[in-house]
Amino acid sequence: MMQRKKYPSGTVVLTVGTKRGLFLLSSSDRVNWTVENTTLNGGRIFYAIFDPRADYRLFAAENGDFFGSFIRYSDDFGQTWQEPRRGIEFAPDSGLNLKNIWYIEPGRAQEPGVIYAGTDPACLWISTNGGETWEPNTALLEHPTRERWEPGAGGLCLHSIVADYANPERMWIGISAVGCLRTDDGGKNWKFANKNTRADFQPDRYPEFGQCIHRLLQHPTEPDVLYQQNHCGLYKSLNAGDDWIDVHSNLTSDFGFPLALDPHHPETLYSIVEGEGRHNLSEHFTVYRTQNAGEEWEALTQGLPKGPNVRLGVLRHGMCTDVLDPCGVYVGTNTGQLFASNDRGDHWQLIADFLPTIYSVSATYLP
């Protein structure tokens, strides 16, 4: 059981996965922040998240440089860790070897104990007992097009998992560089959901699959509405991914990794677009916000760094929001800075510096 007395009620806790371990940042006012180490302090933590359904059990995806990749979980805010009884490991006869664990997603509120994870090679893994044992989704593992899937620059990674809160049989996943797939029958079958999303790097710019999706989100009150950040644009779908609308609009680049939304005003989204160098386009590091679902984007810069030597990049899980209103927005960079806004992005402050490369940031509010 988690020791809730560690943090008082009303605390926001950020899990920050980095190239050298997992950090926790906490604040009761979203102005003053405390930075803490956990005992996961050596491996590459691609993602970490609390599960509020299970007394805030903390899950982390640790990828070691030499000893492999592991799901770990903690019931005392990262001071001690446990490993699954049967972890994520491909069968010897599958011909696949685990390279990285990319993402962990707690299941729906009505399915306690269910946890999902995504890996490279692209596979959806499911635990039904709080992370103690894991099994792969067979239909995705044996998808008839799998031999034609090609990796993105970061590998053939399943990095986004959206379990539809309104339909327990429906789920979407994002794979780089395959695209978006959807199941309507609880994972027995998967079909591509990439219509109208571009793959400018391929001879056919609109293939059935082969798009390099970077991040996928679901609208919190309209379940058929999805948003995605792509290698070639920003998109929304109004029909559960049957087709997509480009909402790149007035942004100066169609390339970016992260995407987040305001849960209380879900037509408000946040993105960071970059150039070919994978860093800010101008001398001012900028977060972009739309308040009308992508019709128009505004640049948010107040409190963010600028100068001729500012070269900051943000990876696909390096930005998130919290559940408060006005929402907090959090951005971690590949050079180890963590920025926060407590007013929907209008103003920013640096809340941590000199961290290792930040792979991911997730926010949890402890009521």
Side-chain angles (χ1 to χ4, degrees):
M1 181 70 65
M2 181 174 170
Q3 299 175 4
R4 286 294 305 274
K5 65 182 180 181
K6 181 177 176 64
Y7 297 114
S9 296
T11 299
V12 173
V13 182
L14 306 180
T15 60
V16 183
T18 78
K19 189 175 182 179
R20 290 291 177 262
L22 176 65
F23 296 83
L24 300 181
L25 278 76
S26 59
S27 176
S28 59
D29 59 8
R30 298 190 298 176
V31 174
N32 302 288
W33 292 85
T34 299
V35 183
E36 302 171 87
N37 286 307
T38 69
T39 52
L40 286 186
N41 55 20
R44 294 174 287 117
I45 309 300
F46 277 15
Y47 198 76
I49 191 168
F50 287 104
D51 184 357
R53 307 163 309 162
D55 294 319
Y56 293 89
R57 172 170 282 185
L58 176 58
F59 288 89
E62 181 177 23
N63 298 292
D65 293 325
F66 304 104
F67 300 112
S69 297
F70 304 92
I71 291 264
R72 305 191 191 278
Y73 57 90
S74 171
D75 293 319
D76 57 9
F77 279 99
Q79 298 312 299
T80 60
W81 295 85
Q82 302 176 60
E83 293 185 20
R85 288 186 283 112
R86 183 175 68 249
I88 291 178
E89 185 176 359
F90 289 99
D93 60 358
S94 70
L96 301 174
N97 294 306
L98 181 63
K99 296 180 180 178
N100 288 301
I101 300 171
W102 272 84
Y103 189 63
I104 306 167
E105 178 70 19
R108 303 170 181 86
Q110 64 269 31
E111 49 184 17
V114 174
I115 313 289
Y116 300 99
T119 61
D120 174 6
C123 184
L124 176 68
W125 295 79
I126 303 103
S127 172
T128 59
N129 49 20
E132 293 188 14
T133 61
W134 293 85
E135 297 288 346
N137 175 266
T138 302
L140 188 67
L141 191 63
E142 299 176 355
H143 198 277
T145 67
R146 188 178 188 93
E147 291 185 355
R148 292 185 281 150
W149 294 359
E150 295 291 339
L156 186 62
C157 54
L158 195 161
H159 52 69
S160 293
I161 301 169
V162 177
D164 186 358
Y165 56 83
N167 180 350
E169 297 295 303
R170 190 165 69 171
M171 176 184 287
W172 299 266
I173 56 175
I175 301 174
S176 179
V178 178
C180 179
L181 294 93
R182 186 182 77 206
T183 179
D184 297 304
D185 56 10
K188 299 182 181 66
N189 295 278
W190 294 87
K191 63 180 180 180
F192 294 109
N194 298 311
K195 186 178 179 181
N196 297 332
T197 59
R198 302 193 318 275
D200 292 341
F201 44 83
Q202 293 204 34
D204 178 3
R205 296 178 65 210
Y206 293 95
E208 180 187 17
F209 64 92
Q211 291 85 345
C212 194
I213 186 173
H214 286 170
R215 195 71 176 97
L216 179 66
L217 301 173
Q218 184 181 25
H219 192 290
T221 59
E222 299 179 25
D224 285 347
V225 177
L226 303 171
Y227 301 102
Q228 68 162 283
Q229 173 75 268
N230 195 287
H231 192 104
C232 303
L234 269 156
Y235 300 90
K236 71 178 177 182
S237 175
L238 303 177
N239 51 17
D242 285 343
D243 57 56
W244 295 85
I245 303 163
D246 192 328
V247 293
H248 167 263
S249 186
N250 59 311
L251 291 172
T252 54
S253 171
D254 60 5
F255 179 90
F257 278 116
L259 186 66
L261 61 79
D262 181 341
H264 296 278
H265 308 275
E267 283 69 41
T268 296
L269 292 98
Y270 302 88
S271 180
I272 293 173
V273 295
E274 303 172 351
E276 293 184 1
R278 304 300 188 258
H279 55 70
N280 44 288
L281 290 163
S282 70
E283 292 187 357
H284 208 150
F285 178 61
T286 303
V287 177
Y288 292 90
R289 177 178 66 190
T290 177
Q291 300 188 73
N292 49 22
E295 292 182 20
E296 185 178 12
W297 295 83
E298 58 185 316
L300 308 175
T301 59
Q302 189 162 341
L304 295 175
K306 64 179 178 179
N309 299 319
V310 173
R311 296 289 185 271
L312 306 183
V314 180
L315 301 176
R316 72 179 78 245
H317 293 128
M319 180 167 62
C320 72
T321 55
D322 64 31
V323 297
L324 299 179
D325 191 10
C327 79
V329 191
Y330 308 96
V331 176
T333 72
N334 58 5
T335 46
Q337 294 81 35
L338 183 57
F339 299 98
S341 169
N342 59 15
D343 58 6
R344 304 180 70 240
D346 288 339
H347 304 86
W348 296 85
Q349 63 170 323
L350 179 69
I351 62 172
D353 200 357
F354 302 108
L355 297 178
T357 295
I358 295 173
Y359 292 131
S360 64
V361 184
S362 67
T364 297
Y365 176 72
L366 300 179

